[in-house]
Amino acid sequence: MTNRPDALVIGAGPAGLMAAEMLAGAGRQVIIADAMPTPARKFLMAGKSGLNLTKNEPEDAFATHFSGSAVSALGYGQPDAFGPQEAMDWASGLGAELFTGSTRRVFPVGMKASPLLRNWLARLRDAGVELRTRWSWTGLQDGFRFSTPMGEQVLRPAVTVLALGGASWPRLGSDGAWMSILHGAGVDITPFRPANMGLRVSWSPEMTRFFGSAVKGVALHAEGQVSRGEWVITRDGIEGGGIYEIAARLRDGQVAHVDLTPDLDHQALGARFGKPRRKLSVGNWLRRVLGDPVKTALLLEWGYPRPVSPNDWAMMARNLPLRHDGPMGLERAISTAGGVAGTAITPDLELKALPGVFVAGEMLDWEAPTGGYLITGCLASGRRAGLAASAFPDARQNRAH
């Protein structure tokens, strides 16, 4: 076992595997080291409910969903960017048959991540890439130190790509432990915050029977952003794709409201509220007006002070305050904001404090909503880091001249 590999990738998620593919394609001999027993565990978990690979929309619209100090690491707006079309072409090249849903989200026909991952790992093996599992990176003393089943190992590669993920879903391997190592080496770090997370809500006892219920056919509005995705009422709050799309704005202090009837104009809704209530209780009357017990429950829970006139009821149903107690923690977030700051990297994603070390994926300080953006972004940054690393040190020598 050589301790001076040609190229080392630490982290076997989508960003790390893509970086390894770029390095191997350029003729570099690549070792991937990962702390978990098997690779890409978060990728597989994300695919359990259907692998949303990307969003089939123009790249300029796609790029508007990304933010953060290191967002330039994704390369959007540059000629060689890896956007939705490139993601679809890449997956097709691995034998995945794709389809685009009504919301323009792109999935494999079988919906699962495992067939795509199997083909990808086979292609990497055929290219000579070596995967070492249960190799946990512990430090930078005299090289890259690892805790392994064979005891401590030290590798001194010619070039390295770090792709260790953020700090969400730590049980799947992304625990953010690398942050202290890089901070100690002089790398600028932005503190982690949850992204694509649920919101905590202190429900009244009347909401207990709605725990687990899906909220459908509503629109969430947050400072000009609109989400029409479904979400779920849980014991601890509200979670799901519809919430995740606006969660970053609410985390950062913006307010949101719920339109319970986005497909019904205000006049028609007012006419519904104007029908005589007679002897119906408020709850039964609202269920008759809205036609949905879950929407009714939310209106009763968040709609105060109680409206009086039909027009005021209609206004409340169209502009229901989304009342919450803040974001859920990192351990329950789908992804994280924060990480290696944009000031810490060169345009080629090389760490300024550690020459020859490149960074990709959720380690970097960028964020995006679910819906295909996260996975494509990780692939894009892995590709850019891998291509830049494959040219090291030649690219540096060319710049010097």
Side-chain angles (χ1 to χ4, degrees), residues 131-313:
L131 174 62
R132 297 181 183 176
T133 56
R134 295 188 174 90
W135 275 53
S136 181
W137 183 38
T138 59
L140 282 168
Q141 300 79 25
D142 194 32
F144 289 86
R145 290 187 173 271
F146 294 88
S147 173
T148 81
M150 300 165 290
E152 185 177 64
Q153 301 289 323
V154 180
L155 299 182
R156 302 178 182 88
V159 66
T160 303
V161 176
L162 302 178
L164 290 111
S168 62
W169 289 5
R171 64 188 177 85
L172 301 179
S174 297
D175 58 7
W178 55 264
M179 185 177 277
S180 60
I181 299 174
L182 292 188
H183 182 70
V187 176
D188 294 336
I189 301 290
T190 302
F192 281 132
R193 296 180 296 164
N196 289 298
M197 68 289 175
L199 301 170
R200 294 180 289 106
V201 179
S202 300
W203 299 114
S204 67
E206 288 74 16
M207 289 297 293
T208 302
R209 65 192 182 96
F210 294 99
F211 292 167
S213 298
V215 183
K216 304 178 181 180
V218 307
L220 299 171
H221 295 257
E223 303 291 335
Q225 186 176 0
V226 181
S227 170
R228 289 294 302 265
E230 293 182 13
W231 39 288
V232 178
I233 297 170
T234 72
R235 180 180 301 277
D236 299 316
I238 49 180
E239 301 185 57
I243 295 296
Y244 301 154
E245 194 165 347
I246 62 167
R249 292 173 182 256
L250 275 62
R251 177 199 65 205
D252 295 341
Q254 296 181 11
V255 297
H257 69 269
V258 187
D259 183 350
L260 296 174
T261 60
D263 300 316
L264 191 66
D265 65 50
H266 186 77
Q267 185 175 0
L269 182 60
R272 288 190 182 186
F273 278 110
K275 293 180 180 180
R277 176 178 154 189
R278 296 190 175 88
K279 295 182 179 181
L280 292 172
S281 67
V282 173
N284 287 333
W285 173 61
L286 290 176
R287 277 191 290 274
R288 183 168 294 184
V289 172
L290 296 175
D292 186 318
V294 178
K295 293 181 181 181
T296 300
L298 290 172
L299 183 54
L300 289 171
E301 183 76 4
W302 288 338
Y304 53 84
R306 289 281 185 261
V308 177
S309 70
N311 183 66
D312 288 345
W313 273 109

